[in-house]
Amino acid sequence: MDFDANLPQHLERHLAAFLTEAGADIRAGEPAFGSGVDALTRFVLGGGKRLRPTFAWWAWRGAGGDPGGPDTEGVLRAVASLELVQACALIHDDLIDSSDSRRGRPTVHVSHAREHRAHGWLGAPETFGMAAAVLLGDLALAWADDMFAGAPLPPATLAAAHPAWRAMRTEVLAGQYLDVRTQAVGDTTPEAALRVCRLKTAAYTVQRPLHLGAALAGADEARIAALHEFGSDLGVAFQLRDDLLGVFGDPSVTGKPAGDDLREGKRTLLVALGLQMAEDPEQRKLIADAIGADLAQDEVDTVRRTLTEVGAVDAVEVQITALTSTALTALERAHLAEPAAARLAGLAETATQRVF
Amino acid sequence: MDFDANLPQHLERHLAAFLTEAGADIRAGEPAFGSGVDALTRFVLGGGKRLRPTFAWWAWRGAGGDPGGPDTEGVLRAVASLELVQACALIHDDLIDSSDSRRGRPTVHVSHAREHRAHGWLGAPETFGMAAAVLLGDLALAWADDMFAGAPLPPATLAAAHPAWRAMRTEVLAGQYLDVRTQAVGDTTPEAALRVCRLKTAAYTVQRPLHLGAALAGADEARIAALHEFGSDLGVAFQLRDDLLGVFGDPSVTGKPAGDDLREGKRTLLVALGLQMAEDPEQRKLIADAIGADLAQDEVDTVRRTLTEVGAVDAVEVQITALTSTALTALERAHLAEPAAARLAGLAETATQRVF
């Protein structure tokens, strides 16, 4: 039972137990609901880096949480519930972005549309797929709350983490709403991309999970503030690395086709910087036209070369290095206990380091 | 401050306060998020019968809740949060059903698609409308939990209501998922329609709100069980009345075009009974063809006449009368304090009585 060493297994144990228990009553009476619960269960247990609960766990450990103490199982359950929020975010995001695959498998709306088509059911397969994705995402979000609120922890412990829980869910939805709006109005400035990134990635993926874990350990304001700074800079650095991977990443590592972010029309900070830094109008046009275009491999190569030539790739690398460095300084100010400080520093390195 | 007499105003006071407070931090930094919060606020405060919090309130009062006591504002906030769950359910349901109007106004996905089109933004207006509806429904669901969990009540009081809160959200989503699946597979039996109705209307609209309110007052198992029976029968009766209104209702009362349930292809118990009771194959075909068809007024009239002729309308009326009667008997067994017992009986009459 080494929680630190086998964290993903412990998180998945709690997720599997909750997913079995949460739908049991209705499944007993309504077997057809089972196919929905099964689809959600496969999605949640079918992969993912468990990044958010991992940040939360190490913040809890670093702020004094003792795996030998009475709160451990409650904390594992509370932080594992972040994966259900993430399931909702991914299922709904994939629908909004019309993404066909996720983790090398068909997305929820696509797999349901295929099931509909294979059975020759009534109505449009795409409408059925959309409906299933909306409802299973909703179920994940409702169950996230049930899993968090039902964690076996003293009421005061859970209440201390509530501000982080509240803020996290509002921030990710606000970030996604801003993202959709920013893309619609065609705001291609780096500032707009950074604002979306601060809510959608930094706050949701790093800051609030750290805040939540630290609050579960009763951390004081000063420590939470230091973790916020660490999370803010690390979160942006992490998104910038993801931006680079989305354009330059190896499909066998990312699980997505090469240059997929371009095809999906993502307004990343990388692309925004490329547009801003391109002095040659032709280079600017080449980048602008690539966003949301159905690019062939050689066209992806051309865009990659252009983003590199205009200096956007270097600029992003410089920012990643600078943000990772300020993040690590903030982490020191949080004065976390070991091994948490070293593990969080390691996570910061891993999540931001060059992999190609 | 007569809570019993002015319940809707008190519920709306809490909803308005919460909606202002919940988005305040992010709106301050991100004014663009404001348009989303404003759209959700208009939707929530823009109408509705407040049926679910009203059932919850009277169950609380009937189980001994004292409006002069310390819990009143906390209970109002907790039960008002049901309107945010309902906002999510309606916004997502309207998207799934491609409904254009709700309460005489454009639905959320339609109004956002129009905004997109009016500004000539990038991408497809319908995709933007879909994205906004998905995300604002999610926000309503996340905020429902925040509003409920943040109600100023003793932890034990709120914890007692948690089983009802959990069951209600899972049941409505299971009911919607079953509804979508039942329609897709073309199951037109009354049994299938009844199963959807038991989850989507009876459990979600009546049973669980009553359970939640009674639990907030510390009701015992026997009283909650009696309220469950009352809610189950009343909920089905209520849906049956709604089925009749959806086909026979006056547009000036329902706010929807005449025969709208037929056009939307709803597999109601009324239609299922019509199909089952029609002995003449032509009458059966006429009903079957009407589901999901773009009917003219005279065609709606023909379907109405046919549903009446095959006996489905009478059968539904008989069931409504019988269910309302057994519901009222169960209500007596709950031994609620006055004026709650009389008010709930009155709600049962109003919600199920013939209005045309």
Side-chain angles (χ1 to χ4, degrees):
Chain A
M1 291 276 273
D2 187 337
F3 298 104
D4 287 347
N6 302 310
L7 184 57
Q9 289 93 307
H10 288 287
L11 296 169
E12 282 155 23
R13 169 170 61 84
H14 274 276
L15 286 165
F18 176 83
L19 287 163
T20 301
E21 150 207 328
D25 286 351
I26 298 180
R27 290 182 75 148
E30 294 293 346
F33 183 52
S35 72
V37 177
D38 289 345
L40 179 60
T41 303
R42 277 194 305 275
F43 186 88
V44 172
L45 300 180
K49 296 188 287 287
R50 316 299 180 202
L51 204 54
R52 291 158 194 84
T54 301
F55 277 123
W57 172 261
W58 287 113
W60 180 72
R61 293 280 285 111
D66 173 11
D71 285 355
T72 303
E73 289 295 332
V75 167
L76 282 169
R77 174 166 160 142
V79 305
S81 71
L82 296 173
E83 289 290 307
L84 290 177
V85 178
Q86 174 68 352
C88 170
L90 294 178
I91 292 169
H92 284 177
D93 241 15
D94 286 341
L95 174 68
I96 290 169
D97 295 341
S98 293
S99 302
D100 291 335
S101 69
R102 157 83 53 196
R103 298 172 190 155
R105 281 190 282 263
T107 50
V108 170
H109 64 281
V110 166
S111 67
H112 279 80
R114 283 186 192 166
E115 181 191 13
H116 187 284
R117 199 173 288 114
H119 285 92
W121 285 341
L122 302 171
E126 288 70 27
T127 305
F128 180 78
M130 180 268 280
V134 168
L135 295 173
L136 294 180
D138 288 353
L139 193 65
L141 186 57
W143 282 5
D145 271 294
D146 292 344
M147 190 172 182
F148 178 78
L153 288 167
T157 303
L158 210 52
H162 234 281
W165 178 256
R166 276 200 305 273
M168 180 197 62
R169 285 144 52 260
T170 298
E171 282 160 356
V172 67
L173 290 166
Q176 290 184 326
Y177 184 85
L178 280 181
D179 196 5
V180 166
R181 249 185 128 81
T182 301
Q183 294 197 28
V185 303
D187 186 345
T188 61
T189 59
E191 292 70 31
L194 187 62
R195 284 208 306 275
V196 170
C197 168
R198 286 208 179 281
L199 287 168
K200 204 173 153 172
T201 309
Y204 167 60
T205 304
V206 194
Q207 285 177 293
R208 295 305 178 184
L210 290 168
H211 180 180
L212 189 123
L216 285 171
D220 63 15
E221 299 267 324
R223 182 171 261 168
I224 287 172
L227 283 173
H228 258 267
E229 285 180 56
F230 168 65
S232 173
D233 287 351
L234 174 59
V236 175
F238 174 69
Q239 181 61 54
L240 289 172
R241 176 58 64 207
D242 207 52
D243 286 2
L244 287 169
L245 283 171
V247 174
F248 293 86
D250 179 344
S252 70
V253 176
T254 64
K256 296 190 213 175
D260 205 42
D261 275 10
L262 295 170
R263 268 189 217 93
E264 289 191 359
K266 283 197 191 161
R267 302 281 166 170
T268 63
L269 199 48
L270 168 67
V271 167
L273 282 170
L275 289 169
Q276 193 186 53
M277 296 174 82
E279 290 176 11
D280 178 347
E282 280 191 31
Q283 286 186 315
R284 194 174 193 287
K285 183 169 183 325
L286 196 145
I287 298 169
D289 289 350
I291 305 167
D294 191 17
L295 303 172
Q297 181 59 51
D298 65 321
E299 292 171 308
V300 171
D301 289 340
T302 308
V303 180
R304 288 175 173 173
R305 203 163 48 239
T306 309
L307 286 169
T308 307
E309 281 170 9
V310 303
V313 174
D314 280 349
V316 166
E317 290 287 1
V318 167
Q319 281 208 38
I320 292 173
T321 305
L323 287 165
T324 306
S325 164
T326 52
L328 292 172
T329 307
L331 179 61
E332 281 172 28
R333 279 205 310 282
H335 302 294
L336 298 189
E338 291 298 355
R343 293 296 287 266
L344 284 171
L347 273 170
E349 302 281 0
T350 316
T352 58
Q353 79 195 345
R354 194 187 288 262
V355 289
F356 54 89
Chain B
M1 290 277 274
D2 186 337
F3 298 104
D4 287 346
N6 303 308
L7 184 57
Q9 290 93 308
H10 289 287
L11 295 168
E12 282 154 24
R13 169 170 60 83
H14 274 275
L15 286 164
F18 177 82
L19 287 162
T20 301
E21 151 207 326
D25 286 351
I26 297 180
R27 290 182 76 150
E30 294 293 347
F33 183 51
S35 73
V37 177
D38 289 344
L40 179 60
T41 303
R42 277 194 305 275
F43 185 88
V44 171
L45 300 180
K49 295 188 287 286
R50 314 299 180 203
L51 204 55
R52 292 158 193 84
T54 300
F55 277 122
W57 173 261
W58 286 113
W60 180 71
R61 292 281 283 113
D66 173 11
D71 284 355
T72 303
E73 290 295 330
V75 167
L76 282 169
R77 175 165 159 144
V79 305
S81 72
L82 296 173
E83 289 290 306
L84 289 177
V85 177
Q86 174 67 352
C88 170
L90 293 178
I91 292 169
H92 284 178
D93 240 15
D94 285 342
L95 174 68
I96 290 169
D97 296 340
S98 293
S99 303
D100 291 337
S101 68
R102 159 81 53 196
R103 297 172 190 156
R105 281 189 282 263
T107 50
V108 170
H109 64 281
V110 166
S111 67
H112 280 80
R114 284 187 192 164
E115 181 190 12
H116 186 284
R117 199 173 286 113
H119 286 93
W121 285 340
L122 302 171
E126 288 69 27
T127 305
F128 180 78
M130 180 267 279
V134 168
L135 296 173
L136 294 180
D138 288 352
L139 192 66
L141 186 57
W143 282 5
D145 271 294
D146 293 344
M147 189 172 183
F148 178 77
L153 288 167
T157 303
L158 209 53
H162 235 281
W165 178 255
R166 278 200 303 274
M168 180 196 62
R169 285 143 54 258
T170 297
E171 282 160 355
V172 65
L173 290 165
Q176 290 184 327
Y177 184 84
L178 280 182
D179 196 7
V180 165
R181 248 185 130 80
T182 301
Q183 296 198 27
V185 302
D187 185 346
T188 61
T189 59
E191 292 69 30
L194 188 61
R195 285 208 305 274
V196 170
C197 168
R198 286 209 180 280
L199 287 168
K200 202 171 155 173
T201 308
Y204 168 60
T205 304
V206 194
Q207 285 177 294
R208 295 306 179 183
L210 290 168
H211 181 180
L212 190 124
L216 286 171
D220 63 18
E221 298 267 326
R223 182 171 261 168
I224 287 173
L227 284 173
H228 257 267
E229 284 180 56
F230 168 66
S232 173
D233 288 350
L234 175 59
V236 175
F238 174 69
Q239 181 61 55
L240 290 172
R241 176 59 64 207
D242 208 52
D243 286 2
L244 287 170
L245 283 171
V247 175
F248 292 86
D250 180 345
S252 70
V253 176
T254 63
K256 297 190 211 173
D260 204 42
D261 275 10
L262 295 171
R263 270 191 215 90
E264 289 191 359
K266 283 197 191 160
R267 302 280 166 169
T268 63
L269 199 48
L270 168 66
V271 167
L273 282 171
L275 289 169
Q276 194 185 53
M277 296 174 83
E279 292 176 11
D280 178 349
E282 280 192 30
Q283 285 187 316
R284 193 172 195 287
K285 182 168 183 331
L286 195 146
I287 297 169
D289 289 350
I291 305 165
D294 192 16
L295 305 171
Q297 181 60 50
D298 64 321
E299 294 171 307
V300 171
D301 289 340
T302 307
V303 181
R304 287 174 173 173
R305 205 165 44 238
T306 308
L307 286 169
T308 307
E309 282 170 8
V310 303
V313 174
D314 279 349
V316 167
E317 289 288 0
V318 166
Q319 281 208 35
I320 292 173
T321 305
L323 288 165
T324 306
S325 166
T326 52
L328 291 173
T329 306
L331 179 60
E332 280 172 30
R333 280 204 309 282
H335 300 295
L336 298 188
E338 292 296 354
R343 292 299 286 268
L344 284 171
L347 273 170
E349 303 280 1
T350 316
T352 58
Q353 78 194 345
R354 192 188 287 264
V355 291
F356 53 89

